[in-house]
Amino acid sequence: MTNQSQLCPKFEKAMSILSKRWTGLVVYQLLRGSQRFCEIEASIGISGRLLSDRLKHLENEGMVKRDVYPETPIRIEYSLTEKGRALEPLMNELEQWSKTWIDEKEAVQR
Amino acid sequence: MTNQSQLCPKFEKAMSILSKRWTGLVVYQLLRGSQRFCEIEASIGISGRLLSDRLKHLENEGMVKRDVYPETPIRIEYSLTEKGRALEPLMNELEQWSKTWIDEKEAVQR
DNA sequence: TTAATTAATTACTTTTCGTAAGTAAGTATA
DNA sequence: TATACTTACTTACGAAAAGTAATTAATTAA
């Protein structure tokens, strides 16, 4: 099959961001408002090692902003940029889809 | 931080499907209509080994249907079920987002 | 008999993930 | 002064997943 790819490079890039594990959940969680490292860590169950990596990645993509408050102990708040917040409609779509098409039994256990 | 996860298990499951590499692109490609193995392989640039794995996975999730036509050479058509097609609005959202927020330079190169 | 085609699968290497422990900075407590 | 505490990371390392390439099975044509 010699078919060339017809995929839009921008779309492909967008999908590559979303299809990296944890990244979508971090964005979803930050849609609730700015949060600190340990809050995100606890809320989605990611390890510190990977959360650190994903936040850096999202910062590089211009989707997340990092604010340092030199209190004691230090407080660092992460929040979405406009680019990040623009994924809200997509997240709502995914919520709707999951409510309609995923049943309790196959959902993630905790 | 002792915070419990507030994530909806259904949403978490949905996100885990989408955040597995290639899965989203396979669904996106099949939204164009039923296709055979080698067509999908060529169009999104996935290896046969992983495409085989992802199609099985999507079949198990009830999102993809596999039809065998015992011609010569054998033809096997993959298509989306209703559950799979229901992701079309989300894919449209991601397309829009990528057009607005990803610029040429950072897009996937080919 | 050899080759061709499609849809996989197997073997092997590289990359990423997950867990746990360690570090740095800045207090607070004994 | 020494020790402990808190947050936000980083490092080390074994396990799992991904990437590449070669191989297989079924069928048929040259």
Side-chain angles (χ1 to χ4, degrees), chain B residues 36 68-75:
Chain B
R36 43 206 306 195
V68 180
Y69 300 91
E71 304 168 351
T72 289
I74 193 170
R75 180 164 62 97

Side-chain angles (χ1 to χ4, degrees), chain A residues 5-58:
Chain A
S5 174
Q6 308 93 335
L7 284 174
C8 166
K10 291 183 179 183
F11 180 78
E12 216 175 327
K13 168 76 179 183
M15 187 63 93
S16 82
I17 294 172
L18 224 60
S19 66
K20 195 144 178 107
R21 194 173 180 192
W22 299 113
T23 304
L25 285 180
V26 170
V27 171
Y28 179 76
Q29 191 62 22
L30 287 177
L31 280 169
R32 300 182 172 199
S34 81
Q35 286 171 63
R36 43 207 304 196
F37 194 91
C38 57
E39 289 178 302
I40 306 170
E41 197 176 3
S43 65
I44 66 176
I46 189 179
S47 72
R49 170 171 147 355
L50 288 185
L51 180 54
S52 177
D53 178 272
R54 293 308 188 271
L55 286 171
K56 255 176 222 152
H57 193 238
L58 284 167

Side-chain angles (χ1 to χ4, degrees), chain A residues 76-87:
Chain A
I76 296 175
E77 292 271 353
Y78 293 93
S79 55
L80 294 179
T81 62
E82 204 189 338
K83 181 176 176 180
R85 275 196 308 277
L87 280 178

